[in-house]
Amino acid sequence: MKAPRSGGGWKAIKYSLKLANRVGWWKLWKSMRSKNACKTCAVGMGGQKGGMVNEAGLFPEVCKKSFQAMASDMQPSVSSEFFAKNTLSQLQSLSSRKLEYSGRLTEPLLLSKGEEHYRPISWDKAIDLVVDRLKAAGADRSFFYASGRSSNEAGFLFQMLSRLMGTNYVNNCSFYCHQASGVGLGSSIGTGAGTIRLEDLDHTDLYILIGANPSSNHPRLMKAFMEIRRRGGKVIVINPVKELGLVNFKVPSDVRSLLFGSSIASMYVQPHIGGDMALLTGIAKEVLEQGVHDSDFIAKHTENFEAFQEQVKNTSWDEVIKHSGVNRQTIKKIADQYISAKNVVIGWCMGITHHLHGTNNVQSIVNVSLLRGMVGRRKAGLMPIRGHSNVQGLGSVGVTPGMKQAMLERFESQLNIKVPTTPGYDTMACMEASHRGEIDFAFCLGGNLFGSNPDTKYALEAMNRIKTVLYLSTTLNTGHVWGTGEETLILPVLPRDEEPQSTTQESMFSYVRMSDGGKSRFEGPRSEVSILAAIGQKLFADDNRIDWKKLESHTAIRELIAELIPGYEGMKETIQSNKEFHVTGRAFEEYQFPTENGKAKFHAIPFPKLPKEENQIRLMTARSEGQFNSVVYDDEDIYRGQERRDVILMNKTDIERLGFKPDQRVTVKSEAGEMQYILVREFDIRAGNALMYYPEANVLVPHTVDPLSKTPGFKSVWITITSEEPAVA
């Protein structure tokens, strides 16, 4: 399969038209133009300004992934015969793509202990079963997990259920993606969210994109990069993999770009996987050696600079070059552009966070920004590129193991709720407790917890040891057929554009949108809020602290959010007039950092140790252009020119050095597991490194985590590769 010359463009348009043919042109158009927030990435669009419109009022703001998610929700329902015909073993033989396209779930399903088929049950029986099992499990043997698909209203009720039960074992999917960003930013500048708004990108003259591939995962950001280049700005891409869309992209909504393409990267740097901290230290070292750091800003608005300066000074250039894989001349070229720029934004994604030193990576990014006062003011700042449409909102409304102090105090004073003081479980801690046989009930609000986990064998063992696993889902995924407990229950839910009441979502720019909802396409599915409220009414029937019946109303939930969630006071105007708003305290001005002393903090960080084995290669797992998170919509990865997913992409010199040939079958092995019959494919990736597809390659990823953020190292796996073919005598 041959890759195109540019990302985006006519192929993306053709694909969208193909989806329209599948579900109906007018139906898809009406759905996309409805006043509902985008269902995919957290760049965000839609809401009260209209579908395919962003917070700046620009139209058309849409991408292929938006259409994919909408078309999936518009597919026919799964027939009742489907589950009667297919045993669990048969369902396990289906790929992620085939499960997704089996249809919309429309009735509650139960897989009882010892049975081989899911069978339909009534809603009343399903709710009663959930309540009975939660009561039997109790607070210490239950955990709650949410994906970023859910609304703020559902997330708020979800975490309320856990707190009233008496447990902090509640978390969201960010622990397997951007938690290192939250922890790293929080420890450095006092907030875990990005510091810029969308309009700040209009003034950026240098954007440093590190460890991210928005051309595949956040396509609408490509227009912002195109505009930076057009007005004479620069975009430095730092990525071990040469990604087509980051070199040239045809923005479909811009005629000139669509016809001729747009150059994205003004400079493309390919470090080693995991070499980002060393590269960032090298940039800082060059800035300090030239003496062009902002001494006045540093003295007035930061702390711990001396320790950081000493750490950088004592780190030799040889160490920087060895660990980063980037020569000094290139590092100097990056630093010189950084020094000469006026408004710099640094953006990153999971190429930074998916390491056992992911938090330190983020702290290193902040260090570089602080050196020249590029954070703490408008038009410049830090931009974690969040992957799911409301994962940031879920964190804001408390779907986290540890409640922020200000929120905790409001809960206790206004609701008379004593929030549990026991330590909460992050996502991996929940899996480890399950593996030890200490969990009886797992409550999954959307997502695919099994498919998102590293160390697939370990995850399978962990989930199979849980007594009851509950999923709230719109379609089938691999978690429903592999991540099963002794009994498994699936409750069909409505997507946000079918909600009977309006909902809210928060973008990565801390902009809270309101989705109107709409008419349900099928009979049977229920809104997440109605399900959670029904569970709450029965679970806490003798507890009058919360009126769960009242909380069937989204307006009533928003009133509580406005009162209890710091920064969400703007929700009051949303209740009155549907007004959307920015969460306060996120986009900094005048260097006012929300830390205890009002200052940002430098961190002195030593490099992580490299393994000694010379024959090992560094592996990163990555998503394809045809998928969203763990959902695989298409087996093809158009931008990388791959027609299948059972491949390992390697540098030509590594293929030759190891004695392989293109399309040769190999075994890939790590400390966690191995994959056989994988095809070797040549690709432009830094020598000594390789790429395989997530979630299939999760079997190779150990379940160890970054000690600070508890995030697994999906992009820092050391592997060996051996031929499947017998050696020739």
Side-chain angles (χ1 to χ4, degrees):
M1 178 180 178
K2 189 176 181 180
R5 294 181 180 180
S6 299
W10 295 108
K11 280 187 175 291
I13 293 174
K14 183 179 179 181
Y15 184 91
S16 300
L17 296 178
K18 178 181 173 183
L19 289 177
N21 278 329
R22 182 192 302 169
V23 300
W25 285 57
W26 180 240
K27 288 182 180 179
L28 184 60
W29 174 257
K30 284 201 303 181
S31 297
M32 293 302 299
R33 286 294 285 146
S34 64
K35 292 183 177 182
N36 290 289
C38 177
K39 299 174 182 178
T40 52
C41 82
V43 175
M45 63 89 175
Q48 295 307 292
K49 289 187 171 77
M52 299 192 284
V53 180
N54 67 10
E55 54 257 56
L58 297 178
F59 171 87
E61 285 288 312
V62 69
C63 72
K64 176 179 173 180
K65 294 191 184 297
S66 305
F67 285 116
Q68 285 173 325
M70 185 64 76
S72 177
D73 287 337
M74 296 175 70
Q75 65 180 313
S77 63
V78 181
S79 66
S80 299
E81 293 75 25
F82 177 85
F83 294 102
K85 187 185 301 183
N86 289 284
T87 66
L88 184 64
S89 298
Q90 288 171 319
L91 292 175
Q92 288 173 344
S93 70
L94 300 180
S95 67
S96 172
R97 182 178 185 275
K98 288 182 178 179
L99 288 167
E100 174 72 20
Y101 286 128
S102 295
R104 278 281 300 277
L105 297 168
T106 58
E107 55 187 345
L109 298 165
L110 176 65
L111 180 68
S112 296
K113 186 176 181 179
E115 293 187 356
E116 273 294 302
H117 291 267
Y118 274 104
R119 58 181 173 83
I121 64 170
S122 70
W123 271 106
D124 287 342
K125 288 183 179 179
I127 297 297
D128 286 343
L129 187 148
V130 171
V131 173
D132 288 345
R133 299 299 189 264
L134 277 171
K135 285 181 177 179
D140 295 334
R141 298 185 68 86
S142 303
F143 77 72
F144 298 73
Y145 168 85
S147 83
R149 185 207 66 199
S150 300
S151 66
N152 290 323
E153 291 76 13
F156 182 84
L157 284 196
F158 190 63
Q159 62 91 14
M160 186 84 79
L161 273 173
S162 77
R163 312 291 183 199
L164 286 178
M165 273 193 70
T167 182
N168 285 323
Y169 300 170
V170 56
N171 56 74
N172 63 65
C173 58
S174 69
F175 281 94
Y176 283 177
C177 55
H178 262 294
Q179 186 67 11
S181 295
V183 177
L185 289 170
S187 66
S188 298
I189 58 175
T191 180
T195 68
I196 70 165
R197 294 182 178 177
L198 178 62
E199 58 264 31
D200 290 324
L201 295 178
D202 295 337
H203 306 278
T204 302
D205 58 343
L206 173 62
Y207 193 107
I208 301 176
L209 180 68
I210 179 167
N213 181 20
S215 60
S216 285
N217 301 313
H218 307 80
R220 285 188 300 105
L221 279 178
M222 304 311 295
K223 187 174 183 179
F225 300 146
M226 173 197 77
E227 290 172 343
I228 290 171
R229 293 299 311 277
R230 278 189 183 174
R231 61 175 179 264
K234 298 176 180 178
V235 176
I236 299 175
V237 176
I238 299 172
N239 193 323
V241 184
K242 183 65 73 68
E243 299 286 10
L244 169 75
L246 300 182
V247 176
N248 196 284
F249 196 90
K250 293 184 176 181
V251 178
S253 62
D254 184 273
V255 175
R256 178 176 149 198
S257 179
L258 179 62
L259 293 176
F260 305 107
S262 298
S263 178
I264 302 301
S266 53
M267 181 180 184
Y268 208 116
V269 181
Q270 293 177 267
H272 282 306
I273 294 169
D276 309 290
M277 191 191 305
L279 176 56
L280 290 160
T281 300
I283 295 169
K285 191 173 180 69
E286 186 66 39
V287 172
L288 289 169
E289 288 184 358
Q290 291 190 35
V292 288
H293 52 289
D294 191 336
S295 300
D296 186 58
F297 163 79
I298 291 170
K300 290 180 180 178
H301 302 291
T302 73
E303 62 178 341
N304 205 41
F305 173 69
E306 291 75 14
F308 164 73
Q309 185 178 36
E310 189 68 16
Q311 172 75 37
V312 172
K313 181 180 178 181
N314 291 335
T315 303
S316 69
W317 277 110
D318 287 342
E319 287 180 274
V320 169
I321 294 166
K322 176 184 176 182
H323 281 259
S324 69
V326 180
N327 62 50
R328 184 172 179 180
Q329 182 180 3
T330 300
I331 295 173
K332 185 179 186 305
K333 189 174 179 181
I334 299 171
D336 286 344
Q337 292 177 73
Y338 177 55
I339 291 164
S340 62
K342 293 181 179 179
N343 296 312
V344 181
V345 172
I346 304 181
W348 68 92
C349 203
M350 288 175 285
I352 284 292
T353 62
H354 273 173
H355 298 273
L356 301 186
H357 55 276
T359 302
N360 293 152
N361 277 344
V362 175
Q363 290 168 334
S364 297
I365 289 173
V366 181
N367 286 341
V368 170
S369 289
L370 291 175
L371 269 180
R372 296 200 57 245
M374 291 294 174
V375 60
R377 63 178 176 85
R378 300 301 305 275
K379 302 181 182 179
L382 301 165
M383 183 177 150
I385 305 173
R386 308 268 180 187
H388 214 317
S389 59
N390 197 42
V391 64
Q392 190 161 299
L394 290 182
S396 294
V397 300
V399 187
T400 56
M403 233 186 217
K404 293 180 179 178
Q405 186 62 32
M407 192 188 308
L408 186 149
E409 290 172 357
R410 293 186 189 185
F411 264 74
E412 295 188 346
S413 64
Q414 297 185 40
L415 296 181
N416 195 28
I417 293 174
K418 186 66 177 176
V419 175
T421 57
T422 52
Y425 276 174
D426 58 82
T427 307
M428 182 53 72
C430 288
M431 297 301 294
E432 290 171 340
S434 301
H435 198 269
R436 295 192 299 267
E438 297 173 2
I439 297 295
D440 292 337
F441 195 100
F443 196 145
C444 299
L445 185 67
N448 182 352
L449 178 57
F450 166 78
S452 302
N453 259 277
D455 198 342
T456 305
K457 179 176 179 291
Y458 184 89
L460 180 66
E461 293 170 349
M463 298 206 73
N464 290 168
R465 292 172 185 173
I466 302 171
K467 287 186 178 180
T468 303
V469 178
L470 169 63
Y471 294 104
L472 272 62
S473 304
T474 54
T475 55
L476 286 173
N477 61 50
T478 56
H480 300 138
V481 300
W482 288 100
T484 54
E486 290 184 14
E487 65 177 355
T488 307
L489 183 63
I490 306 174
L491 301 183
V493 296
L494 298 169
R496 65 186 54 146
D497 63 317
E498 296 178 30
E499 286 270 2
Q501 302 178 64
S502 60
T503 59
T504 59
Q505 295 80 30
E506 180 187 328
S507 79
M508 68 187 221
F509 297 108
S510 298
Y511 186 72
V512 178
R513 288 183 173 81
M514 172 176 271
S515 296
D516 278 357
K519 184 179 179 181
S520 176
R521 297 181 177 94
F522 305 97
E523 290 186 8
R526 292 175 55 175
S527 76
E528 291 175 332
V529 165
S530 72
I531 296 169
L532 293 166
I535 293 170
Q537 288 174 53
K538 292 194 173 186
L539 187 62
F540 305 109
D542 300 323
D543 186 339
N544 60 8
R545 290 177 293 175
I546 298 294
D547 185 345
W548 287 92
K549 180 66 177 175
K550 180 181 178 182
L551 293 183
E552 291 177 354
S553 163
H554 293 197
T555 298
I557 299 171
R558 285 197 280 270
E559 288 172 350
L560 278 178
I561 290 175
E563 292 177 9
L564 301 174
I565 308 300
Y568 263 70
E569 293 81 5
M571 191 73 86
K572 294 175 182 176
E573 288 190 65
T574 303
I575 296 167
Q576 295 167 2
S577 59
N578 291 357
K579 183 177 180 181
E580 298 170 326
F581 63 95
H582 280 97
V583 181
T584 57
R586 302 271 179 85
F588 299 153
E589 296 184 43
E590 299 178 358
Y591 304 120
Q592 298 298 311
F593 297 104
T595 57
E596 287 187 9
N597 60 6
K599 293 185 176 183
K601 184 177 182 179
F602 281 94
H603 289 269
I605 312 163
F607 295 165
K609 293 182 180 179
L610 296 174
K612 295 180 180 179
E613 292 84 347
E614 294 182 1
N615 292 327
Q616 287 190 315
I617 282 180
R618 313 176 204 218
L619 173 72
M620 63 186 290
T621 65
R623 292 156 175 78
S624 68
E625 186 269 344
Q627 76 179 96
F628 176 66
N629 292 338
S630 62
V631 180
V632 178
Y633 291 113
D634 298 293
D635 291 330
E636 300 85 6
D637 188 359
I638 297 173
Y639 292 175
R640 297 190 183 113
Q642 304 300 318
E643 81 288 358
R644 56 198 300 163
R645 297 175 65 84
D646 57 342
V647 299
I648 180 168
L649 305 185
M650 301 171 61
N651 187 284
K652 181 180 180 181
T653 59
D654 288 325
I655 295 174
E656 294 173 349
R657 177 175 61 85
L658 295 172
F660 301 140
K661 296 179 181 179
D663 283 332
Q664 181 176 342
R665 296 282 185 180
V666 296
T667 293
V668 183
K669 189 172 184 179
S670 72
E671 65 176 88
E674 69 176 40
M675 297 181 73
Q676 296 180 319
Y677 308 111
I678 300 300
L679 285 171
V680 171
R681 293 281 173 88
E682 182 182 322
F683 204 76
D684 191 348
I685 184 171
R686 180 71 161 76
N689 303 267
L691 181 150
M692 293 179 71
Y693 287 114
Y694 163 100
E696 293 88 345
N698 285 357
V699 67
L700 300 171
V701 182
H703 64 271
T704 48
V705 296
D706 171 9
L708 297 174
S709 67
K710 312 303 181 185
T711 302
F714 290 98
K715 287 181 169 56
S716 55
V717 183
W718 290 88
I719 59 169
T720 54
I721 309 171
T722 55
S723 174
E724 288 284 352
E725 300 172 2
V728 179

